[in-house]
Amino acid sequence: MGLQLGDLAPDFTADSTAGVIDFRDWKSGSWAVLFSHPADFTPVCTTELGRVAQLSAEWAARGAKPIALSVDSVDDHGKWVPDINEVNGTTVDYPIIADPDKKVANLFGMIHPNEGDTSSVRSVFIIDPADKVRLTLTYPKSVGRNFDEILRALDALQLTDRAAVSTPVDWRSGDRVIVPPTVSTADAKAKYGDVDEVKPYLRYVAAPQG
């Protein structure tokens, strides 16, 4: 059985482009977005790692730290990063973990042999400040991820953690939210003001601020 939502994310120590990293010490109470890619010097990965770097201010605004992984070496990562920067017009400012022995990839279930080989697939783990796994995504090697969606999901997680609400389909920051079934309409009105009751079980309110 792989990692499930609510599980404590495995701790690990590994070499990276930022030196040796102890994962929990490195994230130190922050949110983390750990994502794997199959190999260095590959086209889809070059675009993905560049996009994550372009979003540096967005991660920081959410108190989140991105960190990448592949089964290649730190030396290969170091040679590849200039290509990522050049192609995407950015600067990779987050660590890329080297995992040649696949220890970390196996801890997180990133190796899917039926995908063609024993390199890591495109896994994403959003891990909260308490080191719990809060969201997982797995893409095949041929399909690039949408990191705008990962940011959107992070926004939703952070909002629903601080307020007794849920987010509807295609929700984006600032959109109205859903009152959970566990909260009565009367309590919702007292707490949030206007309630749009579409059905007794489907009620919208403005997104709580702060």
Side-chain angles (χ1 to χ4, degrees):
M1 179 85 58
L3 283 175
Q4 297 186 327
L5 301 185
D7 285 352
L8 199 63
D11 196 14
F12 60 85
T13 300
D15 205 0
S16 80
T17 53
V20 175
I21 282 180
D22 180 89
F23 182 59
R24 289 187 189 160
D25 286 347
W26 170 82
K27 70 183 288 297
S28 187
S30 298
W31 290 81
V33 179
L34 170 62
F35 65 104
S36 59
H37 60 277
D40 296 356
F41 300 101
T42 53
V44 176
C45 301
T46 299
T47 64
E48 286 192 322
L49 271 74
R51 180 59 176 154
V52 172
Q54 291 169 350
L55 293 168
S56 178
E58 299 293 339
W59 305 119
R62 293 160 174 81
K65 295 181 174 182
I67 186 167
L69 173 146
S70 88
V71 297
D72 292 319
S73 67
V74 167
D75 186 53
D76 283 341
H77 293 346
K79 292 174 181 175
W80 180 39
V81 165
D83 285 1
I84 300 170
N85 293 340
E86 177 188 351
V87 168
N88 298 282
T90 191
T91 300
V92 173
D93 60 354
Y94 56 87
I96 307 174
I97 297 165
D99 193 33
D101 62 1
K102 304 174 186 174
K103 179 184 76 173
V104 180
N106 283 317
L107 276 176
F108 282 82
M110 297 170 173
I111 305 292
H112 294 205
N114 289 333
E115 257 296 283
D117 60 27
T118 56
S119 61
S120 48
V121 294
R122 300 186 193 284
S123 297
V124 182
F125 297 87
I126 295 182
I127 300 164
D128 71 13
D131 301 322
K132 289 187 177 180
V133 176
R134 300 296 301 280
L135 180 145
T136 64
L137 292 167
T138 303
Y139 288 67
K141 297 176 185 182
S142 60
V143 178
R145 287 163 285 207
N146 184 331
F147 282 93
D148 291 331
E149 161 58 15
I150 294 166
L151 279 172
R152 188 199 73 85
L154 179 58
D155 283 340
L157 284 168
Q158 293 183 343
L159 172 61
T160 58
D161 273 6
R162 69 174 184 266
V165 296
S166 302
T167 57
V169 64
D170 295 334
W171 177 89
R172 290 188 176 277
S173 183
D175 291 350
R176 63 183 187 166
V177 296
I178 289 174
V179 178
T182 53
V183 178
S184 72
T185 298
D187 286 347
K189 287 179 178 179
K191 188 169 186 177
Y192 301 118
D194 290 339
V195 176
D196 178 11
E197 186 174 299
V198 179
K199 296 286 184 182
Y201 57 84
L202 176 56
R203 299 156 299 160
Y204 288 98
V205 295
Q209 301 301 307

